[in-house]
Amino acid sequence: VVHGGHDTVNFLCDNEHVKAVSFVGGNAAGKHIYERAGQNGKRAQCNLGAKNHAIVLPDADPESVVNQLVGASCGAAGQRCMAISVAVFVGASKEWIPKIAEAAGKLRVGPGNASETDVGPLISKQAQQRVEQLIGSGVDEGARLLLDGRKPSLPDANQDGYFVGPTIFAEVKRGMQIYDNEIFGPVLACVEVDSFDEAIKFVNENPFGNGTAVFTRSGAAARKFIDEIEAGQVGVNVPIP
């Protein structure tokens, strides 16, 4: 195991003893690694960017939807490439969005070595600042902020840590920074649409398709989702791993 930044990456891509490179992460880093490894004749596999959606149908189990979306969006402080960062609510299911904000607001933010902690810190000060900037942009661009994770309540010993608490937005639209960008923090953007077909189309039009999920009691709806969705991993009534 080695640590580092650009120099470490370039060393691995250039070293003659390294025959292949696999990478999961952001677009800019992935493109650099793919190009540099290829220039040195190495095989390269790069999985870039993530914006994982969950579609919620009105016939789904509300309690399950709330619990699973809170965990899938805020687990590991949202710092995992398979986190659910967008929930698309179809029709009357949008009435459950405030319950998600209420449940997420009960999660405890704190150091990862404390047994009572539900949401730990972000990886760096730069990550914290980026997530807070994106939250601010959501407010500025007209999304409705139901739960603000900036400046969470913390023990005195952790006041200088890189913490952002669970954050829930409603009325999110395509074109907003919180939708178009990979946030990589405990932020859930809630989108509202009128029909299942509109929801599927909305998800498929996003360029980041690591994974997706649907919440429904209908076997027919689940099959339609599996057949028509274009993401890499698909979950039915479970968030992707």
Side-chain angles (χ1 to χ4, degrees), residues 33-42 44:
I33 291 169
Y34 188 84
E35 291 173 358
R36 185 136 185 165
Q39 289 169 359
N40 287 289
K42 303 182 190 301

Side-chain angles (χ1 to χ4, degrees), residues 4-235:
H6 288 91
D7 291 342
T8 303
V9 168
N10 292 340
F11 171 80
L12 292 172
C13 289
D14 296 344
N15 190 283
E16 63 182 13
H17 299 294
V18 176
K19 304 302 181 184
V21 177
S22 180
F23 173 79
V24 177
N27 284 12
K31 289 177 181 177
H32 171 77
I33 291 169
Y34 188 84
E35 291 173 358
R36 185 136 185 165
Q39 289 169 359
N40 287 289
K42 303 182 190 301
R43 289 170 292 166
Q45 174 182 285
C46 297
N47 188 0
L48 315 183
K51 198 71 178 177
N52 305 308
H53 296 64
I55 293 177
V56 181
L57 296 183
D59 68 341
D61 181 333
E63 183 177 355
S64 177
V65 167
V66 169
N67 291 336
Q68 296 205 61
L69 287 185
V70 169
S73 60
C74 299
Q79 299 172 113
R80 53 195 182 96
C81 58
M82 299 312 297
I84 294 288
S85 55
V86 180
V88 183
F89 292 84
V90 178
S93 67
K94 66 183 180 183
E95 297 172 5
W96 305 336
I97 297 175
K99 296 180 181 179
I100 293 172
E102 180 182 355
K106 296 177 181 177
L107 297 180
R108 292 161 294 188
V109 181
N113 60 355
S115 60
E116 66 273 14
T117 293
D118 297 310
V119 179
L122 298 184
I123 192 65
S124 68
K125 184 66 174 178
Q126 291 78 11
Q128 179 193 32
Q129 291 172 341
R130 180 178 181 275
V131 172
E132 290 179 344
Q133 181 275 319
L134 284 166
I135 293 172
S137 77
V139 175
D140 293 341
E141 293 173 352
R144 186 157 58 94
L145 183 59
L146 301 181
L147 180 64
D148 189 348
R150 295 171 294 183
K151 311 301 180 186
S153 176
L154 293 165
D156 290 341
N158 303 114
Q159 290 296 321
D160 295 329
Y162 312 139
F163 294 94
V164 176
T167 299
I168 310 296
F169 278 101
E171 300 174 15
V172 174
K173 309 291 184 185
R174 187 185 287 112
M176 293 181 177
Q177 292 184 54
I178 54 170
Y179 179 75
D180 291 347
N181 292 283
E182 182 179 15
I183 299 176
F184 225 63
V187 180
L188 180 66
C190 297
V191 177
E192 302 165 19
V193 299
D194 294 327
S195 70
F196 191 20
D197 285 332
E198 185 181 355
I200 291 175
K201 183 175 184 290
F202 187 90
V203 175
N204 284 342
E205 288 177 346
N206 190 282
F208 303 130
N210 271 11
T212 186
V214 67
F215 291 91
T216 179
R217 299 177 196 260
S218 167
R223 173 55 59 189
K224 174 182 174 67
F225 180 78
I226 292 169
D227 289 344
E228 297 183 14
I229 209 69
E230 296 174 0
Q233 299 184 58
V234 177

